Amino acid sequence: MVRIRVLVVDDHRIFAESLAAALAAEPDVDVSAAGSGPAALRCLERAASEGRRFDVLLVDADLGGRVPGARPAVPVREGNEDGLVDGISLVAGVRSGQPGVRIVVLAEKDDPRRAALALGAGACGWVAKDCSLSRLLSVIRGVLRDETHLPPALLTGVLRELTAARKHRTESELLVESLTPREREVLRCMVAGLGRKAVAERLYLSPHTVRTHMQNVLGKLGVHSTLAAVALARRAGVGPADLDQPSAGDVVERGGQLA
């Protein structure tokens, strides 16, 4: 018999333990539980290192009480001990680090926007916490067949949200494409959280030149603050500059002259 390895991630201990016990009663299911995002990440990493990867992750949509979409996705190896890894971020981080794991989000109530965020982050399903065990088992087995599961009542709203998100992304991509290569590099530094002085040091530019580039970036993107520029860049899929690597193809400015 092929056994399904399931990890339940929920910071409500009684719910997590009850669900894990119910699933464990199934002859083809092995189940573990984690009470936080960091604990889940440790479980996943340990299982992977032992050659016993989990097949399905069941994640509480309200994990940690954070607002989904309010913070960037958390990479698998950066979960901290204070539990600040929200449900949607956990989905994105796990999909990035272990793409073979299927993820189903468990929610207290239906919410098209949050369900769309979950699917966009890489979840395969959105299921009500009060659904029947047979329904949940059907979803678990379905996502392992590469199916996507949503409550029928959510489908229209989720499609509308995904369409709107794609429209905003396309518009943002066009704006980013209007930037020069140097301006895009400055934008990536802004996404990485670097201030003007740090950007100048990284790109070997004068602070005055960096200020000009930043003003040009804001103007071309049609925003009035660095935070707004970073948010737009994120929508367009612009990632942060890799601060562990030197900037490639730098044009060095010395004494106001380009070298």
Side-chain angles (χ1 to χ4, degrees):
M1 179 186 298
V2 177
R3 302 187 68 80
I4 304 171
R5 302 201 68 230
V6 178
L7 178 61
V8 178
V9 188
D10 198 302
D11 50 12
H12 293 82
R13 181 176 177 180
I14 294 177
F15 176 84
E17 292 179 348
S18 298
L19 179 57
L23 292 171
E26 296 296 312
D28 63 340
V29 177
D30 288 330
V31 61
S32 300
S36 70
L41 298 176
R42 291 194 295 272
C43 286
L44 288 164
E45 290 177 351
R46 184 168 58 250
S49 68
E50 296 171 353
R52 303 181 300 108
R53 291 182 182 273
F54 285 96
D55 300 302
V56 179
L57 207 64
L58 303 179
V59 179
D60 176 20
D62 298 318
L63 186 67
R66 305 289 271 185
V67 178
R71 63 197 302 265
V74 180
V76 167
R77 296 185 179 276
E78 291 185 9
N80 47 31
E81 295 299 324
D82 62 6
L84 298 181
V85 180
D86 66 76
I88 307 302
S89 288
L90 181 62
V91 172
V94 172
R95 287 293 292 170
S96 174
Q98 298 192 27
V101 178
R102 302 295 187 266
I103 307 173
V104 176
V105 175
L106 305 177
E108 292 281 359
K109 60 181 180 180
D110 287 345
D111 184 327
R113 178 179 174 274
R114 298 179 69 191
L117 283 171
L119 293 180
C124 301
W126 176 281
V127 180
K129 278 190 170 183
D130 60 359
C131 74
S132 66
L133 181 61
S134 61
R135 164 64 178 161
L136 182 57
L137 287 167
S138 176
V139 171
I140 289 173
R141 295 188 172 102
V143 296
L144 288 174
R145 297 190 296 268
D146 292 326
E147 298 173 0
T148 299
H149 285 258
L150 281 172
L154 269 184
L155 186 57
T156 299
V158 168
L159 289 176
R160 185 183 301 114
E161 291 287 340
L162 290 175
T163 300
R166 181 58 204 170
K167 178 182 178 182
H168 291 318
R169 180 181 176 89
T170 301
E171 292 171 348
S172 300
E173 288 171 343
L174 290 174
L175 289 171
V176 169
E177 287 175 3
S178 72
L179 303 179
T180 66
R182 174 60 87 195
E183 289 166 350
R184 283 196 290 272
E185 192 163 15
V186 168
L187 179 59
R188 291 183 66 235
C189 289
M190 294 164 66
V191 173
L194 299 183
R196 186 191 309 166
K197 182 178 179 181
V199 175
E201 292 174 352
R202 173 175 173 77
L203 301 183
Y204 303 99
L205 298 172
S206 71
H208 175 76
T209 300
V210 170
R211 182 178 63 181
T212 299
H213 283 315
M214 286 183 166
Q215 290 174 341
N216 289 340
V217 168
L218 297 183
K220 289 183 178 181
L221 298 184
V223 296
H224 302 287
S225 70
T226 297
L227 287 177
V230 169
L232 187 150
R234 285 289 193 182
R235 287 199 300 272
V238 176
D242 185 352
L243 303 183
D244 294 329
Q245 299 292 330
S247 180
D250 284 332
V251 177
V252 182
E253 183 185 38
R254 297 189 181 93
Q257 299 296 320
L258 295 181

PDB file of all heavy atoms in Angstrom, residues 18-48:
ATOM      1  N   SER A  18      -6.576  17.063  16.848  1.00  0.00           N
ATOM      2  CA  SER A  18      -7.804  16.329  16.501  1.00  0.00           C
ATOM      3  C   SER A  18      -7.805  15.929  15.035  1.00  0.00           C
ATOM      4  O   SER A  18      -8.150  14.789  14.682  1.00  0.00           O
ATOM      5  CB  SER A  18      -9.035  17.188  16.816  1.00  0.00           C
ATOM      6  OG  SER A  18      -9.116  17.495  18.187  1.00  0.00           O
ATOM      7  N   LEU A  19      -7.414  16.871  14.178  1.00  0.00           N
ATOM      8  CA  LEU A  19      -7.377  16.566  12.746  1.00  0.00           C
ATOM      9  C   LEU A  19      -6.331  15.497  12.454  1.00  0.00           C
ATOM     10  O   LEU A  19      -6.576  14.575  11.668  1.00  0.00           O
ATOM     11  CB  LEU A  19      -7.085  17.833  11.950  1.00  0.00           C
ATOM     12  CG  LEU A  19      -6.983  17.670  10.433  1.00  0.00           C
ATOM     13  CD1 LEU A  19      -8.268  17.048   9.869  1.00  0.00           C
ATOM     14  CD2 LEU A  19      -6.698  19.004   9.759  1.00  0.00           C
ATOM     15  N   ALA A  20      -5.166  15.616  13.075  1.00  0.00           N
ATOM     16  CA  ALA A  20      -4.109  14.634  12.857  1.00  0.00           C
ATOM     17  C   ALA A  20      -4.569  13.242  13.296  1.00  0.00           C
ATOM     18  O   ALA A  20      -4.314  12.246  12.609  1.00  0.00           O
ATOM     19  CB  ALA A  20      -2.848  15.043  13.616  1.00  0.00           C
ATOM     20  N   ALA A  21      -5.269  13.173  14.428  1.00  0.00           N
ATOM     21  CA  ALA A  21      -5.755  11.875  14.916  1.00  0.00           C
ATOM     22  C   ALA A  21      -6.782  11.279  13.960  1.00  0.00           C
ATOM     23  O   ALA A  21      -6.776  10.071  13.693  1.00  0.00           O
ATOM     24  CB  ALA A  21      -6.359  12.054  16.313  1.00  0.00           C
ATOM     25  N   ALA A  22      -7.661  12.114  13.428  1.00  0.00           N
ATOM     26  CA  ALA A  22      -8.683  11.629  12.495  1.00  0.00           C
ATOM     27  C   ALA A  22      -8.041  11.106  11.218  1.00  0.00           C
ATOM     28  O   ALA A  22      -8.415  10.047  10.698  1.00  0.00           O
ATOM     29  CB  ALA A  22      -9.677  12.739  12.178  1.00  0.00           C
ATOM     30  N   LEU A  23      -7.062  11.833  10.698  1.00  0.00           N
ATOM     31  CA  LEU A  23      -6.388  11.397   9.478  1.00  0.00           C
ATOM     32  C   LEU A  23      -5.570  10.133   9.717  1.00  0.00           C
ATOM     33  O   LEU A  23      -5.476   9.259   8.850  1.00  0.00           O
ATOM     34  CB  LEU A  23      -5.478  12.511   8.947  1.00  0.00           C
ATOM     35  CG  LEU A  23      -6.179  13.758   8.404  1.00  0.00           C
ATOM     36  CD1 LEU A  23      -5.163  14.859   8.124  1.00  0.00           C
ATOM     37  CD2 LEU A  23      -6.952  13.424   7.134  1.00  0.00           C
ATOM     38  N   ALA A  24      -4.953  10.028  10.902  1.00  0.00           N
ATOM     39  CA  ALA A  24      -4.108   8.876  11.213  1.00  0.00           C
ATOM     40  C   ALA A  24      -4.906   7.580  11.271  1.00  0.00           C
ATOM     41  O   ALA A  24      -4.333   6.488  11.145  1.00  0.00           O
ATOM     42  CB  ALA A  24      -3.381   9.100  12.534  1.00  0.00           C
ATOM     43  N   ALA A  25      -6.225   7.689  11.445  1.00  0.00           N
ATOM     44  CA  ALA A  25      -7.067   6.491  11.487  1.00  0.00           C
ATOM     45  C   ALA A  25      -7.227   5.852  10.120  1.00  0.00           C
ATOM     46  O   ALA A  25      -7.649   4.707  10.003  1.00  0.00           O
ATOM     47  CB  ALA A  25      -8.441   6.850  12.058  1.00  0.00           C
ATOM     48  N   GLU A  26      -6.862   6.602   9.056  1.00  0.00           N
ATOM     49  CA  GLU A  26      -6.940   6.057   7.711  1.00  0.00           C
ATOM     50  C   GLU A  26      -5.756   5.118   7.466  1.00  0.00           C
ATOM     51  O   GLU A  26      -4.620   5.436   7.823  1.00  0.00           O
ATOM     52  CB  GLU A  26      -6.896   7.188   6.676  1.00  0.00           C
ATOM     53  CG  GLU A  26      -8.080   8.124   6.738  1.00  0.00           C
ATOM     54  CD  GLU A  26      -9.388   7.412   6.410  1.00  0.00           C
ATOM     55  OE1 GLU A  26      -9.423   6.684   5.402  1.00  0.00           O
ATOM     56  OE2 GLU A  26     -10.352   7.589   7.181  1.00  0.00           O
ATOM     57  N   PRO A  27      -6.004   3.956   6.874  1.00  0.00           N
ATOM     58  CA  PRO A  27      -4.933   2.962   6.720  1.00  0.00           C
ATOM     59  C   PRO A  27      -3.791   3.390   5.794  1.00  0.00           C
ATOM     60  O   PRO A  27      -2.688   2.853   5.894  1.00  0.00           O
ATOM     61  CB  PRO A  27      -5.665   1.745   6.158  1.00  0.00           C
ATOM     62  CG  PRO A  27      -6.901   2.298   5.513  1.00  0.00           C
ATOM     63  CD  PRO A  27      -7.302   3.456   6.363  1.00  0.00           C
ATOM     64  N   ASP A  28      -4.042   4.364   4.907  1.00  0.00           N
ATOM     65  CA  ASP A  28      -2.998   4.755   3.951  1.00  0.00           C
ATOM     66  C   ASP A  28      -2.424   6.140   4.221  1.00  0.00           C
ATOM     67  O   ASP A  28      -1.790   6.737   3.357  1.00  0.00           O
ATOM     68  CB  ASP A  28      -3.538   4.704   2.522  1.00  0.00           C
ATOM     69  CG  ASP A  28      -4.680   5.688   2.281  1.00  0.00           C
ATOM     70  OD1 ASP A  28      -5.304   6.130   3.276  1.00  0.00           O
ATOM     71  OD2 ASP A  28      -4.943   6.031   1.114  1.00  0.00           O
ATOM     72  N   VAL A  29      -2.641   6.659   5.441  1.00  0.00           N
ATOM     73  CA  VAL A  29      -2.175   8.004   5.760  1.00  0.00           C
ATOM     74  C   VAL A  29      -1.249   7.988   6.974  1.00  0.00           C
ATOM     75  O   VAL A  29      -1.591   7.440   8.018  1.00  0.00           O
ATOM     76  CB  VAL A  29      -3.353   8.970   6.044  1.00  0.00           C
ATOM     77  CG1 VAL A  29      -2.841  10.349   6.452  1.00  0.00           C
ATOM     78  CG2 VAL A  29      -4.253   9.094   4.818  1.00  0.00           C
ATOM     79  N   ASP A  30      -0.074   8.579   6.823  1.00  0.00           N
ATOM     80  CA  ASP A  30       0.825   8.870   7.938  1.00  0.00           C
ATOM     81  C   ASP A  30       0.767  10.367   8.173  1.00  0.00           C
ATOM     82  O   ASP A  30       0.915  11.153   7.227  1.00  0.00           O
ATOM     83  CB  ASP A  30       2.273   8.476   7.614  1.00  0.00           C
ATOM     84  CG  ASP A  30       2.468   6.972   7.597  1.00  0.00           C
ATOM     85  OD1 ASP A  30       1.740   6.277   8.332  1.00  0.00           O
ATOM     86  OD2 ASP A  30       3.324   6.502   6.833  1.00  0.00           O
ATOM     87  N   VAL A  31       0.569  10.802   9.396  1.00  0.00           N
ATOM     88  CA  VAL A  31       0.342  12.227   9.645  1.00  0.00           C
ATOM     89  C   VAL A  31       1.176  12.722  10.818  1.00  0.00           C
ATOM     90  O   VAL A  31       1.395  12.011  11.790  1.00  0.00           O
ATOM     91  CB  VAL A  31      -1.162  12.502   9.885  1.00  0.00           C
ATOM     92  CG1 VAL A  31      -1.669  11.756  11.102  1.00  0.00           C
ATOM     93  CG2 VAL A  31      -1.431  13.988  10.012  1.00  0.00           C
ATOM     94  N   SER A  32       1.664  13.943  10.681  1.00  0.00           N
ATOM     95  CA  SER A  32       2.358  14.657  11.753  1.00  0.00           C
ATOM     96  C   SER A  32       1.710  16.031  11.873  1.00  0.00           C
ATOM     97  O   SER A  32       0.968  16.468  10.993  1.00  0.00           O
ATOM     98  CB  SER A  32       3.851  14.804  11.437  1.00  0.00           C
ATOM     99  OG  SER A  32       4.470  13.546  11.293  1.00  0.00           O
ATOM    100  N   ALA A  33       1.997  16.721  12.986  1.00  0.00           N
ATOM    101  CA  ALA A  33       1.424  18.042  13.195  1.00  0.00           C
ATOM    102  C   ALA A  33       2.505  19.013  13.643  1.00  0.00           C
ATOM    103  O   ALA A  33       3.456  18.628  14.335  1.00  0.00           O
ATOM    104  CB  ALA A  33       0.306  17.992  14.230  1.00  0.00           C
ATOM    105  N   ALA A  34       2.358  20.275  13.240  1.00  0.00           N
ATOM    106  CA  ALA A  34       3.261  21.348  13.650  1.00  0.00           C
ATOM    107  C   ALA A  34       2.414  22.538  14.071  1.00  0.00           C
ATOM    108  O   ALA A  34       1.384  22.821  13.460  1.00  0.00           O
ATOM    109  CB  ALA A  34       4.199  21.740  12.505  1.00  0.00           C
ATOM    110  N   GLY A  35       2.864  23.239  15.113  1.00  0.00           N
ATOM    111  CA  GLY A  35       2.066  24.327  15.658  1.00  0.00           C
ATOM    112  C   GLY A  35       2.434  25.713  15.195  1.00  0.00           C
ATOM    113  O   GLY A  35       1.864  26.693  15.675  1.00  0.00           O
ATOM    114  N   SER A  36       3.396  25.825  14.273  1.00  0.00           N
ATOM    115  CA  SER A  36       3.798  27.146  13.768  1.00  0.00           C
ATOM    116  C   SER A  36       4.499  26.974  12.433  1.00  0.00           C
ATOM    117  O   SER A  36       4.888  25.853  12.058  1.00  0.00           O
ATOM    118  CB  SER A  36       4.746  27.830  14.757  1.00  0.00           C
ATOM    119  OG  SER A  36       6.009  27.175  14.782  1.00  0.00           O
ATOM    120  N   GLY A  37       4.689  28.092  11.747  1.00  0.00           N
ATOM    121  CA  GLY A  37       5.425  28.055  10.486  1.00  0.00           C
ATOM    122  C   GLY A  37       6.844  27.544  10.654  1.00  0.00           C
ATOM    123  O   GLY A  37       7.272  26.634   9.940  1.00  0.00           O
ATOM    124  N   PRO A  38       7.618  28.101  11.593  1.00  0.00           N
ATOM    125  CA  PRO A  38       8.988  27.609  11.787  1.00  0.00           C
ATOM    126  C   PRO A  38       9.045  26.124  12.124  1.00  0.00           C
ATOM    127  O   PRO A  38       9.921  25.407  11.642  1.00  0.00           O
ATOM    128  CB  PRO A  38       9.502  28.475  12.943  1.00  0.00           C
ATOM    129  CG  PRO A  38       8.734  29.744  12.813  1.00  0.00           C
ATOM    130  CD  PRO A  38       7.363  29.327  12.371  1.00  0.00           C
ATOM    131  N   ALA A  39       8.099  25.664  12.964  1.00  0.00           N
ATOM    132  CA  ALA A  39       8.077  24.241  13.309  1.00  0.00           C
ATOM    133  C   ALA A  39       7.804  23.399  12.064  1.00  0.00           C
ATOM    134  O   ALA A  39       8.400  22.330  11.875  1.00  0.00           O
ATOM    135  CB  ALA A  39       7.021  23.975  14.380  1.00  0.00           C
ATOM    136  N   ALA A  40       6.920  23.886  11.202  1.00  0.00           N
ATOM    137  CA  ALA A  40       6.624  23.165   9.963  1.00  0.00           C
ATOM    138  C   ALA A  40       7.849  23.096   9.066  1.00  0.00           C
ATOM    139  O   ALA A  40       8.147  22.057   8.464  1.00  0.00           O
ATOM    140  CB  ALA A  40       5.472  23.839   9.227  1.00  0.00           C
ATOM    141  N   LEU A  41       8.575  24.221   8.967  1.00  0.00           N
ATOM    142  CA  LEU A  41       9.773  24.250   8.131  1.00  0.00           C
ATOM    143  C   LEU A  41      10.819  23.260   8.638  1.00  0.00           C
ATOM    144  O   LEU A  41      11.474  22.583   7.845  1.00  0.00           O
ATOM    145  CB  LEU A  41      10.355  25.666   8.096  1.00  0.00           C
ATOM    146  CG  LEU A  41       9.441  26.748   7.500  1.00  0.00           C
ATOM    147  CD1 LEU A  41      10.088  28.116   7.616  1.00  0.00           C
ATOM    148  CD2 LEU A  41       9.095  26.436   6.065  1.00  0.00           C
ATOM    149  N   ARG A  42      10.956  23.186   9.953  1.00  0.00           N
ATOM    150  CA  ARG A  42      11.915  22.229  10.517  1.00  0.00           C
ATOM    151  C   ARG A  42      11.492  20.792  10.211  1.00  0.00           C
ATOM    152  O   ARG A  42      12.322  19.938   9.869  1.00  0.00           O
ATOM    153  CB  ARG A  42      12.050  22.444  12.020  1.00  0.00           C
ATOM    154  CG  ARG A  42      12.744  23.752  12.398  1.00  0.00           C
ATOM    155  CD  ARG A  42      13.144  23.749  13.871  1.00  0.00           C
ATOM    156  NE  ARG A  42      11.990  23.710  14.758  1.00  0.00           N
ATOM    157  CZ  ARG A  42      11.349  24.788  15.199  1.00  0.00           C
ATOM    158  NH1 ARG A  42      11.745  25.999  14.813  1.00  0.00           N
ATOM    159  NH2 ARG A  42      10.323  24.680  16.019  1.00  0.00           N
ATOM    160  N   CYS A  43      10.203  20.513  10.338  1.00  0.00           N
ATOM    161  CA  CYS A  43       9.693  19.164  10.025  1.00  0.00           C
ATOM    162  C   CYS A  43       9.972  18.803   8.569  1.00  0.00           C
ATOM    163  O   CYS A  43      10.406  17.688   8.266  1.00  0.00           O
ATOM    164  CB  CYS A  43       8.193  19.083  10.304  1.00  0.00           C
ATOM    165  SG  CYS A  43       7.728  19.026  12.041  1.00  0.00           S
ATOM    166  N   LEU A  44       9.696  19.737   7.684  1.00  0.00           N
ATOM    167  CA  LEU A  44       9.902  19.492   6.261  1.00  0.00           C
ATOM    168  C   LEU A  44      11.374  19.260   5.943  1.00  0.00           C
ATOM    169  O   LEU A  44      11.723  18.346   5.187  1.00  0.00           O
ATOM    170  CB  LEU A  44       9.372  20.673   5.448  1.00  0.00           C
ATOM    171  CG  LEU A  44       7.848  20.828   5.382  1.00  0.00           C
ATOM    172  CD1 LEU A  44       7.486  22.219   4.901  1.00  0.00           C
ATOM    173  CD2 LEU A  44       7.240  19.773   4.484  1.00  0.00           C
ATOM    174  N   GLU A  45      12.238  20.071   6.522  1.00  0.00           N
ATOM    175  CA  GLU A  45      13.670  19.926   6.251  1.00  0.00           C
ATOM    176  C   GLU A  45      14.204  18.616   6.808  1.00  0.00           C
ATOM    177  O   GLU A  45      15.004  17.934   6.172  1.00  0.00           O
ATOM    178  CB  GLU A  45      14.426  21.122   6.839  1.00  0.00           C
ATOM    179  CG  GLU A  45      14.156  22.422   6.093  1.00  0.00           C
ATOM    180  CD  GLU A  45      14.860  23.607   6.736  1.00  0.00           C
ATOM    181  OE1 GLU A  45      15.409  23.440   7.851  1.00  0.00           O
ATOM    182  OE2 GLU A  45      14.877  24.675   6.121  1.00  0.00           O
ATOM    183  N   ARG A  46      13.770  18.275   8.030  1.00  0.00           N
ATOM    184  CA  ARG A  46      14.228  17.027   8.634  1.00  0.00           C
ATOM    185  C   ARG A  46      13.758  15.821   7.815  1.00  0.00           C
ATOM    186  O   ARG A  46      14.533  14.890   7.552  1.00  0.00           O
ATOM    187  CB  ARG A  46      13.724  16.920  10.074  1.00  0.00           C
ATOM    188  CG  ARG A  46      14.237  15.693  10.818  1.00  0.00           C
ATOM    189  CD  ARG A  46      13.951  15.774  12.300  1.00  0.00           C
ATOM    190  NE  ARG A  46      12.532  15.927  12.592  1.00  0.00           N
ATOM    191  CZ  ARG A  46      11.970  17.026  13.063  1.00  0.00           C
ATOM    192  NH1 ARG A  46      12.718  18.104  13.286  1.00  0.00           N
ATOM    193  NH2 ARG A  46      10.679  17.086  13.311  1.00  0.00           N
ATOM    194  N   ALA A  47      12.493  15.842   7.402  1.00  0.00           N
ATOM    195  CA  ALA A  47      11.958  14.733   6.608  1.00  0.00           C
ATOM    196  C   ALA A  47      12.697  14.606   5.285  1.00  0.00           C
ATOM    197  O   ALA A  47      13.016  13.498   4.835  1.00  0.00           O
ATOM    198  CB  ALA A  47      10.464  14.934   6.374  1.00  0.00           C
ATOM    199  N   ALA A  48      12.992  15.750   4.652  1.00  0.00           N
ATOM    200  CA  ALA A  48      13.704  15.714   3.370  1.00  0.00           C
ATOM    201  C   ALA A  48      15.108  15.151   3.542  1.00  0.00           C
ATOM    202  O   ALA A  48      15.588  14.363   2.717  1.00  0.00           O
ATOM    203  CB  ALA A  48      13.763  17.121   2.769  1.00  0.00           C
TER     204      ALA A  48
END
